[in-house]
Amino acid sequence: MEKYLILNTLNFPILSMLLIVPVVGAIVAMFLRGDTLLKFWGLAVTLATAVISLPLWTCFDQTTAKYQFVELRHWFPALNLEYVIGVDGISVLLVLLTTFVMPLCVLCSWTYIKIRMKEFIIVTLLMETAMLGVFMSMNTVLFYIFWEGMLVPMYLIIAIWGGARKDYASIKFFLYTFAGSIFLLVAIIAMYIKTGTFFIPELMDHSFTFAFQLWVFLACAIGFAIKMPMFPFHTWLPAAHVEAPVAGSVILASILLKMGGYGFLRFCLPMAPAATLYCVPYLLVMSLISIIVGGYLALGQSDIKKLIAYSSVGHMGFVTLGIFLLNDAGIKGAMLQMLNHGVTTGALFILIGIIYERTHSREISDNNKLGMFMPIYVTFLGIFSLSSLAFPGTNSFVGEFLVLFGAFDKYPLVGAVSILGAVLAAAYMLRLLQKMVWDDSDGHAHHGDDHGDDEHHLFDCNFREFIQLAFLTVFVFWIGLHPTPLLDMMDTSVAHLIHQVDAGSAVQEAVHHGEHHALLNNAGAWVKNLF
Amino acid sequence: MNTIITSKILITMLIPMITGLLVMFSGKKPNLRDSWSTLGAILTFASVLSFLPVIQAGDQLKYTLFELYPGISVTLNLDPLGVIFAMVASFLWILASLYCVGYMRGLDEHAQTRFYVCYAVSVGAAMGAAFAGNLFTLYLFYEIVSIFTYPLVMHHQDEEGYAGAKKYIVYLMFTSKAFLLPAMIMIYVLCGTLDFNTASIAQGIFPAEADRFVVGITYFLCLFGFAKAGIMPFHNWLPDAMVAPTPVSALLHAVVVVKVGVFSVCRVMLSIYGTNLLHETGLGLFTAYFVSFTILTASVIALTKTNLKARLAYSTVSQLSYIILGVAMLTPNSITGGLIHIANHALAKITLFFAAGCIFVASGKKDISEMGGLGKRMPFTMLAFGVASLGMIGAPPVGGFVTKWYLALGTMDIHNYILLGVLLLSSLLNAGYFVPIFLTAFFGKPLPADEGLTSSLETKPLIMFMVVPLVITGTLSALIGVYPDLFLNLINLLVKP
């Protein structure tokens, strides 16, 4: 097993602690009374988790693609099943993103959540454990347990603290994601039957037949594409975002959507390399459709949350595009874009929460001319909107640039089409910004009379809100101007992943010189003709 | 040529940004706030001047701030081309900041603090563009200029302002995202770097084996991507952006914004493609013909405009293309003519805009037909206007003559009489739309309402804030016609290394 992993060398079990601390925090929260105490407890636990996760950043070994900080315990020997968790260059940044976003989720709910505070804190903490578990799991059973474990807390967050149509949205969310994960479970069991192991690195090394790979790929891809969400599986997202409370939207946007991209990188690419290669054209086309449809739909929204939700579809399209370019720049760009989206869209949802608490409306037309009353708020809104449209110097630019570079390098036509998505992003974000900050000429008349008495509600950001936004702003510019440390962390693992895909598909070609070879060749020729 | 690595060149860009912050925090004290602007402008100009001797000695300054990815970084690099633009823009900011005081207070404009903050940051970003050492840095500052001039264009916050500003941002953002971004990525794919080749304008950065067809695509994407240059068909934002207060039109739309566009086009032509490649592929000559169309068409449209600022706007569209025409002809003489027009046009056009704003504040007039007899009541303003008009027409001894002289020499160098004809025809057209303004002001009949009014309009203290800067710029635009050596020597460093 040593060829896959490096056992944890720190003098404490860092990854297990990250999983246990929120759970223990949730159990303690059951016995606490008083909303204020609970909020501070939730904040303390999430902050503690964030602090514990810091060594992952400082002690991470960038020179190896092996799993690090690994903890290994025997669990179910009869099934060859172990409790094994670890991180590599692909998951470590997502773990850090999770631990850093969670305190913000507690902070942004401080006054937003008005009922059942105890339950909210408990559910949020359990959610954190489940999400961290997904990124750390090194065997498929563990992965699936945590994957399904996220579903219930998220369902509860939307169903209890959500908006007017919360029942519809929460059920839709549950059914969509659950349907996706059923396929995932089938793939996991099928691979176990073939190989007798649940251990992810071994599954990556195993060379499945092409037909089997194709089924595994499709089963996993459906699950992940729903989670992403990719067109045409995206319809649950706007509903869930709109109805979820602000913390729910932040968790959804910042972390949950990344599970799909992570799944593609962890399962589809290395375990089914030949199938991946075969499916690349379809996935690229679907990504392009996601980018353009997401952007186009965002352009027409009057509800701010819906607008951001559709923009997420477009942004995630860039992520899948980058992943399936299967080159260094594309995959790194996609991974960076996942982090960027977590930072930027998370911040945008926090901003929407702030304004919703003041005006009780998510309509753009009810929230205009804010520049006059809330200069600090508007400054942050400007920064994160520009970041979202990939303004140079901000985080998203680097991610988008890398994906586009990967695209132009490999398939110029794909790059040219995806530029349309970048243009649309500028259009809908600037439209939003212009209407919210300055007011538009068509909303002008309505404004003079009815906002007069509203002005005193429009107090600017308070200290708590300022801290959350300022914290995320640091990341916007840090990643935007100095992404090298992050890219370096990914470097070896991404190179290893690309090697796995290349080697895996090469083995396929050598083994199956018959029909599949022809099939692959056809696919290759088709790709070449297309682009 | 030596390249000196020094972080000192950050100063020029930082001073205006810090000025913006200081202005923001002293919004409640107008006198202090406006002093910060002027002080910032003076310091910025001084910092550019302090680098001048190094550049004149043939050296360049360079500093890399951040490295994003191999070959993509935020790098500042000061060379003769950059110093010309930086010097002109920062010098005119000093005068514009004085002028602003008169204009904004004279009209009792709202949100003056926001105005001055955006003004300062825009100039700072223009400095950044002038100092940009690679295409990414140029793109970065180019976009910052777009964003921070947006509030300036819609300053009045009325329907016209919103409409103009919307058009402004849609044109600029659309072109930069749709054309410039892919161009930048394709250049990176081909060259593996975005760094300018500032050592020689002949070489460029493309490897010899680069596919000429793809190179051509990137070239046109760049040409249209920098829509601030006002090349037709992406010029339409400019006349509509004139709804902005006149100091904005003056500094930003005669000097900073449009010049960032033109400067970027010239920079890309000379430091990314290089004259050899443009000559070999025929792209240079094609560009020359292409912008000739803009030169003539915009002049004809200017003839039809009766609103003074609108006429000036179309004149700007036309004049900007002279600069690109000069560079596109690819001979040392023509490049000299084009680049020196950055300075000539800036000085002359800012005078014209200053005069238009001064007339508006002092007399409330916007339309040329209303200006009959104004020459007697505002003699300094109208004389400066006349001198600057001569510069636009290209008559000696004003700066514009030097431009046309070198441009004409350039057409001779390549024996292209069509382009020579374009130059002559456009000069006639320029005269056609500038001379009547001057004639109306001095010899035209006043409107019935103004009949008998002879008192001077230039004596009020606030008006003096406007008249003095415009007289200075008018005088200077004549002076650099007589003594253009400062700029000629700098350009010589580029064209005759």
Side-chain angles (χ1 to χ4, degrees):
Chain A
M1 267 197 181
E2 264 63 41
K3 71 182 221 205
Y4 302 123
L5 50 83
I6 302 168
L7 288 173
N8 183 18
T9 50
L10 300 172
N11 47 19
F12 67 104
I14 178 167
L15 295 181
S16 291
M17 280 191 55
L18 288 178
L19 293 180
I20 291 165
V21 166
V23 175
V24 172
I27 293 170
V28 172
M30 285 181 200
F31 302 102
L32 296 178
R33 278 160 192 272
D35 284 359
T36 315
L37 178 63
L38 276 159
K39 283 187 275 193
F40 275 107
W41 176 249
L43 182 63
V45 173
T46 47
L47 278 178
T49 317
V51 171
I52 295 171
S53 70
L54 279 176
L56 291 182
W57 172 258
T58 51
C59 304
F60 187 81
D61 181 0
Q62 300 175 356
T63 57
T64 172
K66 292 179 185 175
Y67 282 85
Q68 305 177 32
F69 307 102
V70 171
E71 287 161 45
L72 186 68
R73 302 270 184 287
H74 292 293
W75 184 18
F76 230 123
L79 285 176
N80 192 12
L81 185 58
E82 280 139 345
Y83 167 82
V84 53
I85 51 176
V87 291
D88 67 352
I90 289 169
S91 56
V92 64
L93 292 171
L94 291 167
V95 169
L96 287 165
L97 176 73
T98 310
T99 60
F100 278 87
V101 165
M102 288 315 281
L104 301 180
C105 289
V106 176
L107 274 176
C108 70
S109 309
W110 211 257
T111 52
Y112 191 97
I113 299 294
K114 297 206 166 52
I115 53 163
R116 296 182 168 224
M117 183 53 81
K118 175 182 282 192
E119 286 84 348
F120 179 78
I121 295 293
I122 293 172
V123 168
T124 309
L125 291 173
L126 291 177
M127 188 75 200
E128 177 166 17
T129 296
M131 294 187 297
L132 289 170
V134 168
F135 292 132
M136 292 175 191
S137 299
M138 286 176 65
N139 80 40
T140 49
V141 171
L142 216 48
F143 180 91
Y144 190 73
I145 289 171
F146 284 120
W147 180 272
E148 291 292 280
M150 294 186 306
L151 217 51
V152 176
M154 196 63 221
Y155 169 77
L156 291 175
I157 288 177
I158 301 175
I160 296 177
W161 295 278
R165 294 169 71 221
K166 57 191 182 186
D167 295 338
Y168 164 76
S170 52
I171 288 288
K172 194 170 183 182
F173 162 79
F174 192 90
L175 289 181
Y176 261 78
T177 359
F178 192 70
S181 40
I182 293 291
F183 290 102
L184 187 61
L185 182 63
V186 172
I188 287 172
I189 294 172
M191 285 193 287
Y192 177 71
I193 293 170
K194 280 266 180 187
T195 60
T197 179
F198 292 111
F199 191 50
I200 289 177
E202 274 179 18
L203 290 171
M204 288 176 179
D205 267 6
H206 196 91
S207 181
F208 298 106
T209 62
F210 178 77
F212 186 77
Q213 279 193 25
L214 200 57
W215 287 115
V216 167
F217 182 90
L218 288 178
C220 294
I222 288 177
F224 299 137
I226 291 174
K227 203 85 181 171
M228 268 318 273
M230 245 174 140
F231 179 88
F233 307 111
H234 67 283
T235 55
W236 64 270
L237 185 77
H241 263 322
V242 168
E243 299 308 326
V246 55
S249 294
V250 174
I251 293 177
L252 257 179
S254 295
I255 306 161
L256 240 58
L257 299 190
K258 312 300 162 331
M259 305 273 172
Y262 174 73
F264 278 123
L265 291 170
R266 185 61 88 218
F267 281 71
C268 294
L269 264 57
M271 293 182 194
T276 303
L277 230 53
Y278 178 69
C279 293
V280 155
Y282 308 104
L283 281 149
L284 288 183
V285 169
M286 273 169 74
S287 305
L288 289 177
I289 295 175
S290 294
I291 291 172
I292 290 163
V293 168
Y296 185 70
L297 291 175
L299 202 53
Q301 301 304 321
S302 60
D303 181 313
I304 309 171
K305 260 192 164 178
K306 258 195 179 153
L307 191 154
I308 305 297
Y310 280 115
S311 83
S312 294
V313 177
H315 285 145
M316 288 299 111
F318 271 106
V319 173
T320 41
L321 179 67
I323 290 173
F324 287 99
L325 288 171
L326 301 177
N327 56 14
D328 182 68
I331 292 180
K332 275 187 191 164
M335 286 169 59
L336 203 58
Q337 200 63 345
M338 291 205 268
L339 295 180
N340 294 336
H341 183 262
V343 170
T344 302
T345 309
L348 283 171
F349 277 118
I350 292 174
L351 282 162
I352 297 169
I354 291 173
I355 198 66
Y356 184 75
E357 284 189 68
R358 284 156 174 73
T359 64
H360 303 288
S361 170
R362 291 184 307 256
E363 290 296 313
I364 298 176
S365 55
D366 293 335
N367 291 315
N368 47 18
K369 224 175 191 177
L370 299 177
M372 282 172 74
F373 312 117
M374 306 172 72
I376 300 176
Y377 177 84
V378 159
T379 308
F380 282 120
L381 183 68
I383 292 172
F384 291 111
S385 304
L386 290 181
S387 157
S388 179
L389 67 85
F391 195 81
T394 64
N395 52 355
S396 308
F397 179 83
V398 185
E400 198 177 287
F401 184 92
L402 287 178
V403 172
L404 290 173
F405 165 52
F408 272 99
D409 199 20
K410 209 163 177 179
Y411 314 113
L413 195 67
V414 171
V417 175
S418 54
I419 287 289
L420 195 55
V423 174
L424 281 170
Y428 61 71
M429 283 324 288
L430 287 173
R431 170 175 164 268
L432 175 74
L433 198 57
Q434 200 258 342
K435 294 203 172 191
M436 283 183 77
V437 177
W438 304 109
D439 188 11
D440 201 18
S441 43
D442 48 81
H444 202 68
H446 129 101
H447 227 284
D449 36 278
D450 85 329
H451 261 47
D453 47 314
D454 261 7
E455 282 170 27
H456 61 274
H457 298 304
L458 290 172
F459 49 89
D460 212 337
C461 295
N462 59 31
F463 180 68
R464 173 177 58 81
E465 291 157 347
F466 180 83
I467 283 292
Q468 304 167 38
L469 297 169
F471 177 73
L472 291 171
T473 306
V474 171
F475 285 92
V476 167
F477 292 113
W478 177 42
I479 304 178
L481 293 171
H482 190 60
T484 324
L486 296 173
L487 294 173
D488 284 349
M489 272 177 108
M490 303 168 184
D491 200 41
T492 320
S493 293
V494 170
H496 180 66
L497 179 64
I498 294 171
H499 170 76
Q500 278 176 327
V501 175
D502 289 347
S505 45
V507 166
Q508 276 304 318
E509 292 204 27
V511 172
H512 302 272
H513 248 295
E515 53 197 301
H516 301 310
H517 183 60
L519 198 63
L520 271 176
N521 267 350
N522 286 342
W526 195 69
V527 172
K528 285 198 184 88
N529 286 337
L530 194 61
F531 306 110
Chain B
M1 185 201 87
N2 299 314
T3 302
I4 304 162
I5 309 286
T6 168
S7 58
K8 278 187 205 151
I9 56 172
L10 291 175
I11 291 175
T12 312
M13 197 188 70
L14 287 176
I15 294 171
M17 304 282 180
I18 293 166
T19 307
L21 280 180
L22 291 172
V23 167
M24 192 156 77
F25 290 118
S26 46
K28 298 227 164 61
K29 296 172 190 153
N31 288 335
L32 179 67
R33 178 192 66 198
D34 299 353
S35 321
W36 284 130
S37 281
T38 313
L39 183 70
I42 292 170
L43 288 177
T44 310
F45 181 58
S47 72
V48 178
L49 278 191
S50 71
F51 301 129
L52 193 58
V54 186
I55 304 296
Q56 279 172 330
D59 294 338
Q60 296 190 4
L61 301 165
K62 187 172 189 166
Y63 189 71
T64 298
L65 262 173
F66 304 103
E67 171 127 27
L68 277 77
Y69 200 66
I72 304 171
S73 57
V74 179
T75 298
L76 301 183
N77 185 356
L78 192 60
D79 72 337
L81 182 57
V83 93
I84 291 171
F85 177 47
M87 221 161 50
V88 171
S90 59
F91 174 71
L92 291 178
W93 186 27
I94 304 176
L95 298 172
S97 67
L98 290 173
Y99 181 87
C100 280
V101 177
Y103 186 90
M104 300 301 278
R105 294 189 186 186
L107 290 179
D108 203 15
E109 287 277 357
H110 73 185
Q112 290 193 20
T113 305
R114 180 183 80 202
F115 175 87
Y116 284 110
V117 171
C118 292
Y119 212 90
V121 175
S122 305
V123 177
M127 292 295 132
F131 282 49
N134 59 37
L135 191 54
F136 171 71
T137 315
L138 185 64
Y139 176 70
L140 169 70
F141 287 111
Y142 179 90
E143 293 281 57
I144 295 177
V145 171
S146 303
I147 291 293
F148 276 88
T149 46
Y150 173 76
L152 295 175
V153 176
M154 50 126 267
H155 184 83
H156 290 135
Q157 286 180 262
D158 50 13
E159 214 155 298
E160 214 187 359
Y162 284 125
K166 193 183 240 172
K167 197 167 186 180
Y168 177 77
I169 203 75
V170 166
Y171 265 77
L172 296 187
M173 271 292 178
F174 173 77
T175 48
S176 72
K177 278 267 171 196
F179 303 141
L180 203 50
L181 183 64
M184 190 161 75
I185 294 164
M186 284 159 86
I187 291 171
Y188 184 68
V189 170
L190 289 174
C191 307
T193 179
L194 292 174
D195 288 345
F196 294 137
N197 180 357
T198 50
S200 148
I201 60 166
Q203 295 307 329
I205 62 169
F206 283 95
E209 71 278 5
D211 185 340
R212 289 294 181 260
F213 178 67
V214 182
V215 171
I217 291 176
T218 63
Y219 178 78
F220 284 107
L221 288 173
C222 283
L223 197 62
F224 295 124
F226 290 111
K228 287 198 182 91
I231 300 174
M232 286 180 178
F234 295 106
H235 69 289
N236 244 325
W237 60 271
L238 212 160
D240 285 27
M242 293 297 161
V243 298
T246 305
V248 176
S249 316
L251 182 68
L252 301 184
H253 294 146
V255 188
V256 173
V257 174
V258 292
K259 288 287 153 58
V260 165
V262 172
F263 170 82
S264 304
V265 172
C266 297
R267 172 63 92 191
V268 165
M269 286 169 83
L270 296 176
S271 304
I272 294 262
Y273 293 90
T275 52
N276 288 351
L277 183 68
L278 293 179
H279 186 74
E280 174 204 320
T281 50
L283 287 170
L285 199 61
F286 181 87
T287 312
Y289 287 125
F290 194 81
V291 296
S292 297
F293 175 76
T294 305
I295 292 177
L296 294 178
T297 316
S299 296
V300 172
I301 298 174
L303 276 174
T304 67
K305 297 287 170 189
T306 57
N307 179 304
L308 181 55
K309 277 178 80 177
R311 188 173 285 190
L312 293 180
Y314 275 103
S315 149
T316 302
V317 174
S318 161
Q319 296 277 336
L320 293 173
S321 283
Y322 277 130
I323 301 171
I324 299 169
L325 173 67
V327 175
M329 285 193 281
L330 304 174
T331 73
N333 279 328
S334 71
I335 294 173
T336 310
L339 295 182
I340 203 165
H341 203 49
I342 291 181
N344 288 336
H345 174 253
L347 280 166
K349 194 44 78 53
I350 203 169
T351 312
L352 295 173
F353 270 114
F354 278 173
C358 195
I359 292 168
F360 177 61
V361 174
S363 68
K365 294 182 201 306
K366 285 178 169 177
D367 218 72
I368 296 162
S369 57
E370 299 169 347
M371 292 176 187
L374 214 55
K376 297 193 184 76
R377 302 183 67 196
M378 307 184 75
F380 290 106
T381 308
M382 290 320 293
L383 273 176
F385 190 96
V387 171
S389 303
L390 285 180
M392 293 285 92
I393 297 164
V398 188
F401 173 69
V402 183
T403 305
K404 295 239 162 110
W405 173 262
Y406 277 101
L407 286 182
L409 282 182
T411 61
M412 299 297 186
D413 291 343
I414 56 173
H415 307 290
N416 193 318
Y417 301 105
I418 299 174
L419 292 175
L420 184 62
V422 168
L423 279 178
L424 296 177
L425 183 58
S426 75
S427 296
L428 279 178
L429 288 168
N430 291 342
Y433 59 78
F434 275 121
V435 172
I437 304 172
F438 191 74
L439 290 181
T440 312
F442 280 101
F443 306 108
K445 273 176 80 77
L447 289 181
D450 296 339
E451 206 77 63
L453 291 176
T454 48
S455 59
S456 170
L457 287 167
E458 292 177 333
T459 46
K460 278 190 241 157
L462 278 178
I463 303 291
M464 290 301 284
F465 262 101
M466 299 157 77
V467 174
V468 171
L470 75 89
V471 168
I472 296 177
T473 52
T475 315
L476 282 174
S477 74
L479 268 181
I480 62 166
V482 185
Y483 186 76
D485 280 14
L486 171 64
F487 292 107
L488 284 181
N489 289 340
L490 281 170
I491 296 168
N492 267 342
L493 288 173
L494 276 175
V495 296
K496 291 172 192 149

